[in-house]
Amino acid sequence: MNRYLYNLSIEILKLYPGQSKVRFAKLIYFLHKELVRSGLVNTKALSFVRMPLGPVPVDFMDLQNQEGIIVSEQTTSLMYNSQVYNYSGSKSPNLSDSIISIVKSTLATLVQMSTSDLVELSHQESSWKIYTNGYTFEISDSDMLTVIPKGLKPISENDSSLQEKLVSGMLS
C-alpha cells in the first residue's frame, strides 16, 4: 500500500467523512495535483489509472483493507454513489504541516463542487484525454494547466448523467 495515498486519504476523511467512491478518487487526484503544484510532493508519489469517470489512484481499492478506513454500502439510485468511505481510526496522518495546510485549503474549494463537476474537470486533463481506460500514468506538466475553478455553483448530487457516462465508458 502506498503510504502517501493512505495518509492523504485519512486527512480527507477526517475533514470530510462520508465520501462516495468516485468523489473520493477525484478529491485525491486534485489534492495530489495541488500538492505537486506547490512543490511539496513529487509527481511520482502517486500513479493513476485512467477510468471512464476520471483518474483513480493506483491502490485505491486497497484502501478499504487499511486500518481505520471503512467502506459501507448505501442505497442509492446512482450506481457510482453506492460505496461510502469513512475513517474510524485514531491515527493522525503522517503528513507535514505544509501539506495539511494545502489539503485543507484545496478541499474547502473542492467540496463545493458536485461529483459530476469533479468528473467533468478531470475529463479536461490531457492525460485522461490521450490514454485509454486501464492505462496507468502520473500527472504530467500539461495536466498542471487545468485549474480548479473559483466562484462555484451550488452542489447538486442528483445527476444521473454521470451514471450514463459510466455505462457508456464501460461499454466502449
Side-chain angles (χ1 to χ4, degrees):
M1 165 55 56
N2 181 314
R3 298 315 292 171
Y4 166 67
L5 171 61
Y6 177 59
N7 286 313
L8 190 59
S9 297
I10 290 172
E11 186 63 21
I12 293 167
L13 295 174
K14 283 179 108 176
L15 293 168
Y16 295 96
Q19 296 299 322
S20 72
K21 181 175 164 180
V22 171
R23 184 174 181 76
F24 188 33
K26 298 310 145 259
L27 292 176
I28 293 168
Y29 176 80
F30 287 112
L31 281 172
H32 174 65
K33 190 169 128 175
E34 289 305 308
L35 291 167
V36 168
R37 188 185 315 277
S38 71
L40 295 170
V41 175
N42 187 302
T43 58
K44 296 185 184 305
L46 260 185
S47 295
F48 296 87
V49 178
R50 201 267 195 191
M51 298 298 281
L53 294 180
V56 174
V58 170
D59 291 338
F60 182 80
M61 296 307 292
D62 290 337
L63 283 172
Q64 63 190 351
N65 301 321
Q66 300 305 304
E67 183 183 337
I69 296 189
I70 307 296
V71 181
S72 57
E73 295 287 329
Q74 71 177 10
T75 304
T76 176
S77 62
L78 302 174
M79 181 173 71
Y80 71 86
N81 230 9
S82 65
Q83 289 186 320
V84 176
Y85 286 71
N86 284 290
Y87 181 69
S88 67
S90 58
K91 284 186 178 180
S92 292
N94 188 13
L95 299 170
S96 72
D97 290 342
S98 301
I99 289 176
I100 290 174
S101 176
I102 297 284
V103 167
K104 285 179 178 178
S105 64
T106 303
L107 270 177
T109 301
L110 290 173
V111 297
Q112 295 177 50
M113 299 176 72
S114 69
T115 302
S116 61
D117 288 340
L118 291 169
V119 168
E120 286 301 318
L121 187 60
S122 75
H123 286 186
Q124 294 173 27
E125 302 288 284
S126 64
S127 291
W128 190 86
K129 289 179 181 179
I130 64 172
Y131 300 126
T132 57
N133 288 341
Y135 188 88
T136 301
F137 66 95
E138 293 160 353
I139 291 176
S140 68
D141 290 343
S142 55
D143 291 328
M144 298 303 279
L145 300 175
T146 308
V147 295
I148 300 167
K150 305 293 182 213
L152 302 166
K153 61 185 177 201
I155 268 186
S156 170
E157 289 294 351
N158 295 322
D159 186 0
S160 63
S161 68
L162 241 160
Q163 183 121 336
E164 293 166 18
K165 283 183 188 176
L166 174 61
V167 172
S168 172
M170 290 170 73
L171 290 173
S172 70

